[in-house]
């Protein structure tokens, strides 16, 4: 999960020339099917369309769409085409289902490499081009997307009959957990990375505790001082913010003004520092009182001051995420006690502030509390990997005792991986994943 559009991993993997016969040369290498056979089988699955076939590391790489109901409870509302990709290794190999949580993110996942698995990557409903011409944003919810993935898994299991492992990071990890909760028979296991669990949105003390303990006292004090100074010097720094916006073509109609956008960005600064940075960056934090305006602005722009603008919350950008945060997923409603006397806009720091009117919505945590309870009590073969210094890892899912596990990667931010765990934990986690994927 990212708090800005820049945090959304949406880059598509580039494949080489489109070749219908790309991939393994023999039927045995393709797990009982030639590459042509696989394409024909895929094309014969109802609702599935083969858009193109490329090649990745010597194996066929399919770009596909799958026809989904706009509303699974009311199919008469119409359909849309959901984008996905398939990296085919063998019909006899495990299959990794990857949900990025945003637009189509297709990079090779850690457990895909660990298991030498096929990989299916799915774009979230109503992100990117996976949306109908007219969107009813009430149809963008946890259950609808879980049902999308259920339909895709059921369709592809007609060809890929070995074990299926779900994975995703941040919002993609949350998405995978939601799928598992609603359709626990689809997947044989889930590995979710840095997946926040804001089941009780009104109680964000866990986040407050995180910011009171992450790093060293000296680093925390220096960051808080810089954040405060950015608001104390608002009169001097806001013109720089506005000039930067003009240069990049940013506007702030959703937030209401450049001043409100500036304050929102400053409020998010320390969060972003820890999300993407490391404790090593603490040495670069300037002395807030002694730094010039230019030094303060330049350092902040490179260390967490992400500019929120109309594009951040647009339907074609990350707006669908902020809609989900505002209505179901929740957000970190931090208190910012050290900034109380220099803030101008109470109530600003919440996702609806970033959205156009048509995407705004009211919050209901019924779905997330249900998922939280289910994971704690009934979830099976679920693994959660968090980063010690990652704000999003502060509110964690608590796995049940049903062959489920939680690991924390030491001194790691939002990029936590199994490979970044302590050696004993890494060995145990990898052994568990291999066991889950075994025939």
């Amino acid at each position: 999960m990212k708090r800005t559009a820049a945090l959304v991993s949406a880059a598509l993997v580039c494949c080489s020339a489109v070749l219908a016969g790309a991939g393994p040369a023999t039927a045995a290498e393709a797990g009982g099917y030639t590459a042509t056979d696989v394409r024909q089988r895929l094309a014969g699955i109802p609702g599935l369309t083969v858009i193109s076939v490329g090649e990745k590391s010597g194996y066929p790489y399919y770009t596909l769409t799958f026809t989904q109901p706009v509303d699974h409870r009311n199919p008469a509302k119409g359909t849309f085409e959901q984008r996905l990709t398939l990296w085919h290794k063998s019909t006899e190999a495990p299959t990794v289902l990857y949900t990025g949580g945003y637009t189509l993110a297709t990079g090779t996942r850690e457990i895909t490499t660990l298991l030498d698995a096929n990989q299916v990557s799915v774009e979230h409903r109503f992100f990117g081009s996976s949306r109908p011409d007219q969107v009813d944003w009430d149809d963008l919810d946890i259950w609808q997307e879980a049902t999308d993935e259920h339909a895709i898994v059921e369709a592809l299991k007609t060809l890929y009959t070995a074990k299926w492992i779900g994975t995703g990071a941040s919002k993609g990890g949350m998405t995978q957990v939601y799928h598992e909760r609603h359709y626990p028979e689809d997947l044989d296991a889930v590995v979710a990375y840095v997946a926040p669990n804001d089941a009780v949105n009104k109680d964000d003390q866990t986040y407050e505790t995180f910011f009171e303990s992450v790093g060293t006292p000296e680093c925390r004090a220096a960051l808080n001082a810089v954040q405060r100074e950015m608001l104390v010097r608002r009169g001097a720094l806001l013109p720089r913010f506005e000039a930067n916006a003009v240069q990049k073509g940013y506007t702030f109609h959703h937030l209401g003004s450049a001043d409100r956008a500036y304050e929102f960005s400053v409020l998010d600064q320390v969060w972003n520092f820890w999300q993407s940075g490391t404790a090593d960056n603490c040495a670069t934090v300037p002395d807030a009182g002694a730094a010039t305006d230019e030094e303060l602005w330049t350092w902040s722009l490179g260390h967490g001051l992400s500019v929120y603008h109309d594009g951040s919350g647009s339907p074609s950008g990350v707006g669908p995420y902020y809609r989900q945060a505002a209505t179901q997923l929740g957000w970190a409603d931090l208190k910012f006690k050290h900034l109380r006397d220099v803030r101008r806009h109470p109530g600003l720091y919440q996702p609806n502030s970033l959205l156009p009117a048509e995407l705004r919505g009211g919050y209901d945590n019924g779905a997330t509390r249900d998922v939280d309870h289910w994971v704690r009590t009934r979830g099976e073969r679920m693994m959660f990997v968090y980063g010690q210094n990652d704000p999003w890892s502060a509110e964690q899912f608590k796995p049940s005792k049903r062959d489920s596990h939680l690991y924390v990667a030491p001194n790691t931010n939002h990029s936590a991986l199994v490979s970044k765990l302590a050696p004993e934990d890494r060995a145990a986690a990898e052994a568990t994943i291999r066991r889950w994927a075994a025939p």
Side-chain angles (χ1 to χ4, degrees):
M1 174 136 11
K2 297 200 103 167
R3 300 182 72 80
T4 71
L7 277 164
V8 181
S9 176
L12 302 182
V13 173
C14 294
C15 298
S16 45
V18 174
L19 299 170
T26 68
E29 289 175 317
Y33 294 94
T34 66
T36 301
D37 290 338
V38 171
R39 177 165 187 170
Q40 290 175 346
R41 289 286 302 274
L42 291 171
I45 294 175
L48 193 69
T49 300
V50 179
I51 303 300
S52 65
V53 190
E55 179 269 333
K56 180 178 177 180
S57 301
Y59 293 94
Y61 187 88
Y62 299 87
T63 300
L64 311 163
T65 62
F66 193 81
T67 304
Q68 298 280 15
V70 169
D71 180 353
H72 287 277
R73 294 187 174 93
N74 183 11
K77 288 179 68 172
T79 62
F80 71 97
E81 297 301 312
Q82 188 167 27
R83 292 197 302 167
L84 62 151
T85 59
L86 165 64
W87 186 22
H88 169 87
K89 302 285 190 64
S90 167
T91 55
E92 297 172 358
T95 298
V96 169
L97 176 68
Y98 168 49
T99 50
Y102 298 91
T103 54
L104 189 60
T106 57
T108 303
R109 308 314 299 170
E110 179 178 56
I111 63 172
T112 302
T113 301
L114 178 69
L115 301 174
D116 194 21
N118 308 297
Q119 181 176 304
V120 175
S121 304
V122 178
E123 183 168 79
H124 199 290
R125 68 161 35 216
F126 299 0
F127 284 79
S129 63
S130 295
R131 65 175 64 169
D133 293 335
Q134 299 295 322
V135 179
D136 181 346
W137 293 105
D138 288 341
D139 293 325
L140 176 59
D141 66 29
I142 284 172
W143 180 83
Q144 295 280 4
E145 172 61 21
T147 307
D148 290 341
E149 293 157 28
H150 170 65
I152 289 170
V153 171
E154 277 201 325
L156 291 177
K157 274 188 172 181
T158 61
L159 183 58
Y160 297 95
T161 57
K163 295 293 182 66
W164 280 68
I165 311 293
T167 196
S170 192
K171 182 172 181 291
M174 297 160 71
T175 303
Q176 201 62 255
V177 173
Y178 302 152
H179 178 184
E180 177 71 3
R181 185 268 172 268
H182 289 292
Y183 298 96
E185 301 304 316
D186 279 359
L187 306 172
D188 295 283
V190 165
V191 181
Y193 299 83
V194 294
N197 176 35
D198 199 354
V200 184
N201 195 60
K202 291 182 179 180
D203 181 9
D204 284 331
Q205 184 56 46
T206 304
Y207 289 122
E208 300 287 355
T209 300
F210 169 86
F211 284 109
E212 292 167 0
S213 58
V214 65
T216 64
E218 294 77 14
C219 185
R220 294 194 298 274
L223 287 169
N224 285 347
V226 166
Q227 190 179 34
R228 179 179 173 82
E229 197 70 14
M230 291 290 286
L231 294 179
V232 169
R233 300 193 206 180
R234 189 191 303 250
L237 297 176
L238 182 58
R240 285 175 166 81
F241 182 86
E242 292 173 318
N244 178 70
V246 169
Q247 180 183 9
K248 296 189 176 181
Y250 296 157
T251 56
F252 307 109
H253 300 298
H254 303 158
L255 275 157
S257 70
D259 187 66
R260 287 170 62 86
Y262 176 76
E263 183 165 309
F264 197 108
S265 296
V266 172
L267 293 178
D268 227 24
Q269 185 172 350
V270 176
W271 182 295
N272 289 335
F273 175 92
W274 288 112
Q275 174 177 300
S276 302
T278 69
D280 292 340
N281 299 130
C282 289
T284 72
V285 181
D287 180 336
T292 65
D293 293 344
E294 185 59 33
E295 288 170 342
L296 200 62
W297 169 256
T298 301
W299 183 86
S300 295
L301 209 64
H303 296 85
L305 188 74
S306 298
V307 179
Y308 294 86
H309 53 91
D310 289 339
S312 305
S314 70
S316 60
V318 202
Y321 157 64
Y322 292 121
R323 161 74 187 198
Q324 288 189 279
T327 56
Q328 284 192 313
L329 306 186
W331 62 94
D333 188 11
L334 303 177
K335 303 306 180 187
F336 301 110
K337 294 179 182 179
H338 63 297
L339 305 176
R340 281 179 178 172
D341 60 330
V342 290
R343 291 178 65 181
R344 289 182 181 172
H345 308 291
L348 176 67
Y349 195 69
Q350 49 96 8
N352 272 326
S353 296
L354 302 171
L355 293 172
E358 66 270 19
L359 263 71
R360 293 176 183 173
Y363 179 70
D364 182 348
N365 74 334
T368 50
R369 291 197 72 173
D370 167 72
V371 172
D372 172 70
H373 178 74
W374 185 89
V375 169
R376 291 171 182 265
T377 60
R378 298 178 60 189
E380 296 184 42
R381 296 181 300 280
M382 303 187 75
M383 182 180 294
F384 298 92
V385 179
Y386 291 103
Q388 180 185 10
N389 293 340
D390 171 33
W392 288 114
S393 293
E395 287 203 336
Q396 303 173 354
F397 283 99
K398 304 300 181 187
S400 75
K401 297 180 180 180
R402 300 176 179 230
D403 194 10
S404 296
H405 312 272
L406 187 152
Y407 297 101
V408 176
N411 303 314
T412 304
N413 58 20
H414 203 51
S415 63
L417 294 167
V418 169
S419 59
K420 295 181 180 181
L421 297 176
E424 282 189 23
D425 285 346
R426 176 179 178 175
E430 290 182 347
T432 297
I433 294 167
R434 288 193 178 99
R435 173 171 59 81
W436 285 341

